[in-house]
Amino acid sequence: MEFHPSIEKSSTAEIKQFQEKKLHELLVYLENHSPFYQKLFRENNINIEDIKTLEDLQKIPMTTKNDLQQYNHDFFCIPPNKIVDYSTTSGTLGDPVTFGLSDNDLERLAYNEAISFACAGIQKGDVVQMITTIDKRFMAGLAYFLGLRKMGASVVRMGPGIPELQWDSIFRYQPKYLITVPSFLLKMIDYAEKHGVDYKNSSVYGAVCIGESIKNQDFTDNILSQKIKEKWNIKLFSTYASTEMSTAFTECEHQIGGHHHPELIITEILDDLGTPVNEGESGELTITTLGVEAIPLLRFKTGDIVKAHYEPCRCGRNTMRLGPVIGRMQQMIKYKGTTLYPPALNDILNDFNTILCHQIVIQSNEIGLDEIIIKISTNGESENFVNEVRDHFRAKLRVSPKIEIIEFDILSKIVFNPNSRKPITFIDLR
């Protein structure tokens, strides 16, 4: 098994030619097996033989999350007796969608994670501690396990939470890497400092960070990453993926964006009108999956606003790289003339060491305008602290949201809901 695929170091022209061949194979497969895309081709008079280049994709309408929710069953290209695993999306932007995976899809998923982890430097024989769930129909946790197994790494399946058990496992099994939501590393550090755990002399070399951004748009460390590294000198690697993509974009050792795997996915970065943006501009990531049997997707709008980077990387790969997610289309906030996304608000709140947990709530006021409420648990003095936080928002983002202080015991149960795979730090009530 090749964990550093040669196609990724091919020329951009060779990569494009390779993807166009894969695209044709996908279109034939969809025409033969997908009820949803058969209908879409028929209603839009699309002859798949007219789609010869990546640019020709513009002739095909885009698929949305709403399509997946409304016509979930019609996306299945295989019968139920060929499905070996059922996963669901996290439901961050709406009702969860069911994804079935065939045996071949699980193999593809394992290959994707193996080459992604290899990109970040994980090797055969390394011990990796998974601080993420592998159950609750969570595709990513299963993918991590399958990928690490395929590449010959050893896996410690700890699951999320409970810093005491995480440290016990680290000193017991000596993992070199962790897979975790990065903000949880701060909880582990806090526990270690309070209980005399010699964490700075542990076996941990690095962490593959999921679910939260650790980089600014220029690839410098954001506030969350800085706070971790100030305390614990480990490498932090970004990775970006979703259930719909069944594909990850993971940083290499040079840490300048998540590398594209051209054998697994076709990417487009589009503006509000569905037109490709100019190089260096941000837009909505739209993807076409390659090699998926059960639920392949064609021109699927992810809802994520990103910027692509095309200059060659020093690692030798010539693939496009994705920068940190700027925000999600459906989570865009228009607040007193300023356009905001939740990651920018999170960065402000991460500036404060005295914030124990927080939640951002967006709702419409009585005249239909967006209103921001920041709910905070803090061990600081509340009145002065509220003014300090509000001033910081004014200085950084030129906005002054409403701030509520909530007792930690109350807010933490909402943010760290045991029925959710991720901390619920953003709620949209609009």
Side-chain angles (χ1 to χ4, degrees), residues 68-291:
L68 273 175
Q69 288 165 346
Q70 277 194 292
Y71 309 108
N72 200 172
H73 185 74
D74 289 345
F75 280 88
F76 279 77
C77 293
I78 59 175
N81 64 357
K82 295 289 186 183
I83 294 169
V84 297
D85 181 79
Y86 283 102
S87 297
T88 53
T89 60
S90 60
T92 307
L93 295 179
D95 293 332
V97 173
T98 295
F99 274 77
L101 292 94
S102 68
D103 196 56
N104 287 335
D105 288 340
L106 286 179
E107 280 296 317
R108 179 190 175 282
L109 202 60
Y111 169 78
N112 161 71
E113 290 299 341
I115 61 176
S116 297
F117 288 140
C119 194
I122 298 176
Q123 299 177 359
K124 180 178 181 179
D126 285 343
V127 179
V128 182
Q129 185 157 315
M130 283 177 49
I131 308 178
T132 177
T133 187
I134 196 171
D135 54 9
K136 298 180 181 177
R137 304 194 303 263
F138 187 40
M139 182 189 284
L142 177 63
Y144 304 147
F145 175 78
L146 293 174
L148 292 166
R149 176 178 177 270
K150 178 172 277 291
M151 70 189 307
S154 300
V155 186
V156 184
R157 292 180 293 107
M158 276 304 299
I162 319 177
E164 181 180 5
L165 282 180
Q166 302 293 348
W167 285 118
D168 174 78
S169 182
I170 286 170
F171 286 101
R172 189 182 298 268
Y173 302 111
Q174 302 288 300
K176 185 175 181 181
Y177 290 90
L178 308 176
I179 301 174
T180 183
V181 175
S183 58
F184 184 70
L185 292 173
L186 291 175
K187 296 186 183 301
M188 288 181 60
I189 292 167
D190 182 61
Y191 177 90
E193 290 182 338
K194 287 178 179 175
H195 293 83
V197 176
D198 188 14
Y199 66 95
K200 292 183 179 179
N201 288 314
S202 73
S203 60
V204 178
Y205 166 80
V208 177
C209 296
I210 64 171
E212 296 170 338
S213 177
I214 55 170
K215 294 287 175 66
N216 298 312
Q217 288 302 311
D218 62 358
F219 301 118
T220 56
D221 290 337
N222 68 8
I223 295 161
L224 175 58
S225 184
Q226 289 172 26
K227 288 173 76 170
I228 295 167
K229 290 182 177 180
E230 281 168 7
K231 296 277 191 175
W232 197 9
N233 185 27
I234 60 174
K235 296 278 188 182
L236 302 177
F237 295 91
S238 291
T239 187
Y240 163 74
S242 71
T243 300
E244 295 93 341
M245 296 193 300
S246 293
T247 309
F249 294 77
T250 304
E251 288 184 319
C252 69
E253 66 271 22
H254 299 292
Q255 300 193 328
I256 49 172
H259 277 282
H260 171 218
H261 301 309
E263 67 272 45
L264 298 178
I265 198 165
I266 293 169
T267 60
E268 302 172 79
I269 312 292
L270 306 176
D271 63 19
D272 292 343
L273 301 175
T275 304
V277 300
N278 294 323
E279 192 167 323
E281 295 180 351
S282 60
E284 183 174 6
L285 177 66
T286 301
I287 57 94
T288 296
T289 55
L290 301 173

